[in-house]
Amino acid sequence: MSADLVSAVIKGTGDPRVRLFSSLRFMNPGLSCVLAGVALSLLGVYAIDVAETRRAIADATSLNGTAMRQAVFCCIGLGAALVVALPHYRFYRYLAWIAFLLCLGLLVFLLVPAVPAWLVTPRNGARGWINLGVADFQPAEVTKIAYVLVVAAYLRYRREHRSFLGLVMPGLLTLPPVALITLQPDLGTASLFIPSLFAMLVAAGARLRHLSIIVLCAALAAPATYPLLKDHQKRRFVALVKQVQGDRSSADDLNFQSFTAQTMVGSGQVGGTGDAHARALLHYNRLPERHNDMVFAVITARFGFVGGAVTLLLYGVWTAGALATAAVCREPFGRLICIGLTGFVVAQVVVNVGMTVGLLPIIGVTLPFVSYGGSSMLTVWLMTGLIYNVGVHRPRPPFRDSFEWSGDAA
């Protein structure tokens, strides 16, 4: 290697012979996503242990079974994040369509009636999991990542979405996963695709007035879809209306989960309760899905308002790191990856916390990094690994700048 080339590698200049490692930035905003993710994952393991067993932590020699499995899922997720962070993120553009079509195939497979029940076992009436023996796999979770990669690859150098009719194609890309997940039925997960799409469209330069028209039309048409909902989905909206009206007649029926979750949230007051007290509260109040959808109530019961605020602050750190990574990435594909994945995580946090405190209907959305679940943990760590990947790999010329529009037609 010549002295000039060595100097070019050290200085990171634009010499075409400079190897990939000369453009790596291991200290980048995406690192805050990793650190926040680790903190949230550890918090989740502890919260699940509190939710699932009454023993005092002072007497504990190990985590209970559910919390231990969550810790294993976390380690697997961290390993997966490391793997996806290694190759340059532009490599995933070539895999986007393959991964997307594979995920759609798995979503179709879940809905095939002939599939044996031991392989696809319905849960709460939803056919959303494939039994792999050692764990259950939820294809809808990883479909989020494949979807973001496909939409990012489509939008990266286009300008059609700057017109109203140009929004049709991104909508058509969104329709298959949303429809298939809704048919499971899993309305909660299906609803998360829309915020992610809108975030990517805004980042790609779509006009806000066009998106506002779409939102308005969807809001006006929403009541017409009510008859199409399943009975249990209708009951969730009825339960929310009763809460808003102050009607507690359904506290032992429709609104049992919601009112119990709110009671647990309030029980922590400002600073929280002791470990043993929190475990007893959760045990005797029989909060459904306390290790999963309602885990935020467990955190606030144990650590109070302060604990809930710190949890949300950690999500804020994760979000800020992802958005900062998008901001410093001048290459459009990498920027849209960060924005799209952030859209999913932020929407999921808002919906989960909203339904826990009674502001939104309970639609079965987990809390990222914290709720129990292997597929959810794997997916959110893959997202984190991809965002860190974008931060690590500095775009190398030649590349086109991201979404710089001026004076084009509406």
Side-chain angles (χ1 to χ4, degrees):
M1 183 179 291
S2 67
D4 290 342
L5 181 56
V6 172
S7 177
V9 170
I10 294 174
K11 296 179 181 179
T13 64
D15 191 304
R17 297 172 295 173
V18 174
R19 298 294 187 264
L20 175 63
F21 61 83
S22 66
S23 63
L24 299 182
R25 295 173 296 180
F26 294 103
M27 299 300 295
N28 65 80
L31 184 60
S32 62
C33 297
V34 177
L35 297 178
V38 170
L40 287 166
S41 297
L42 293 176
L43 176 63
V45 171
Y46 173 68
I48 291 169
D49 187 64
V50 170
E52 290 297 294
T53 179
R54 283 196 58 201
R55 61 167 171 71
I57 195 168
D59 301 329
T61 57
S62 63
L63 297 171
N64 70 8
T66 306
M68 182 62 70
R69 286 193 295 272
Q70 181 75 349
V72 172
F73 294 152
C74 178
C75 293
I76 294 173
L78 278 166
L82 175 62
V83 171
V84 299
L86 293 177
H88 197 287
Y89 63 85
R90 287 190 291 190
F91 168 75
Y92 296 108
R93 179 164 57 87
Y94 304 105
L95 298 180
W97 275 103
I98 297 174
F100 187 61
L101 293 175
L102 178 60
C103 288
L104 292 182
L106 290 174
L107 293 176
V108 171
F109 174 78
L110 289 170
L111 300 176
V112 176
V115 176
W118 63 265
L119 185 57
V120 176
T121 305
R123 295 182 182 177
N124 298 323
R127 296 174 61 89
W129 294 265
I130 298 175
N131 181 9
L132 299 181
V134 294
D136 291 332
F137 173 62
Q138 189 176 10
E141 287 292 331
V142 293
T143 301
K144 300 173 185 176
I145 299 175
Y147 168 78
V148 168
L149 294 177
V150 163
V151 175
Y154 172 79
L155 290 175
R156 62 193 183 100
Y157 291 137
R158 295 181 183 271
R159 63 190 308 128
E160 292 90 340
H161 57 279
R162 296 277 290 168
S163 67
F164 189 78
L165 292 179
L167 297 174
V168 172
M169 187 59 190
L172 291 177
L173 289 174
T174 309
L175 181 60
V178 170
L180 291 171
I181 294 172
T182 301
L183 288 174
Q184 291 180 1
D186 186 356
L187 187 59
T189 301
S191 65
L192 300 175
F193 284 77
I194 306 304
S196 177
L197 172 64
F198 273 50
M200 285 189 284
L201 287 172
V202 170
R207 297 182 183 276
L208 293 179
R209 63 174 177 268
H210 296 159
L211 298 177
S212 299
I213 292 172
I214 293 174
V215 171
L216 178 61
C217 292
L220 294 175
T225 64
Y226 183 80
L228 303 177
L229 298 177
K230 302 288 186 179
D231 288 340
H232 71 278
Q233 293 171 334
K234 293 179 181 178
R235 286 197 295 269
R236 290 169 180 170
F237 287 98
V238 171
L240 180 62
V241 171
K242 286 181 176 293
Q243 285 190 64
V244 173
Q245 294 173 340
D247 183 354
R248 297 191 62 88
S249 62
S250 59
D252 295 325
D253 185 14
L254 289 178
N255 275 317
F256 175 77
Q257 185 177 23
S258 182
F259 282 145
T260 305
Q262 293 172 54
T263 300
M264 293 299 96
V265 170
S267 67
Q269 300 185 35
V270 176
T273 61
D275 179 85
H277 188 194
R279 293 172 189 269
L281 280 172
L282 292 160
H283 176 78
Y284 288 111
N285 281 276
R286 299 179 293 113
L287 174 63
E289 300 295 334
R290 55 186 178 269
H291 67 301
N292 198 342
D293 299 348
M294 294 294 155
V295 72
F296 187 73
V298 177
I299 294 172
T300 51
R302 174 64 180 89
F303 298 108
F305 174 82
V306 173
V310 170
T311 302
L312 295 180
L313 177 62
L314 289 173
Y315 284 115
V317 171
W318 192 97
T319 302
L323 294 179
T325 302
V328 300
C329 180
R330 297 178 59 191
E331 197 274 330
F333 181 62
R335 178 173 292 184
L336 288 179
I337 288 176
C338 296
I339 296 296
L341 297 179
T342 303
F344 270 113
V345 172
V346 171
Q348 201 164 334
V349 171
V350 170
V351 172
N352 180 274
V353 174
M355 69 185 195
T356 301
V357 300
L359 297 177
L360 294 174
I362 297 176
I363 54 176
V365 172
T366 58
L367 191 61
F369 292 107
V370 181
S371 292
Y372 176 79
S375 297
S376 176
M377 182 67 79
L378 175 64
T379 298
V380 77
W381 271 113
L382 286 173
M383 291 179 174
T384 303
L386 283 171
I387 291 171
Y388 184 68
N389 186 322
V390 174
V392 166
H393 294 92
R394 181 185 293 111
R396 290 166 291 163
F399 59 83
R400 291 164 56 179
D401 286 337
S402 302
F403 313 117
E404 297 183 357
W405 315 108
S406 61
D408 51 340

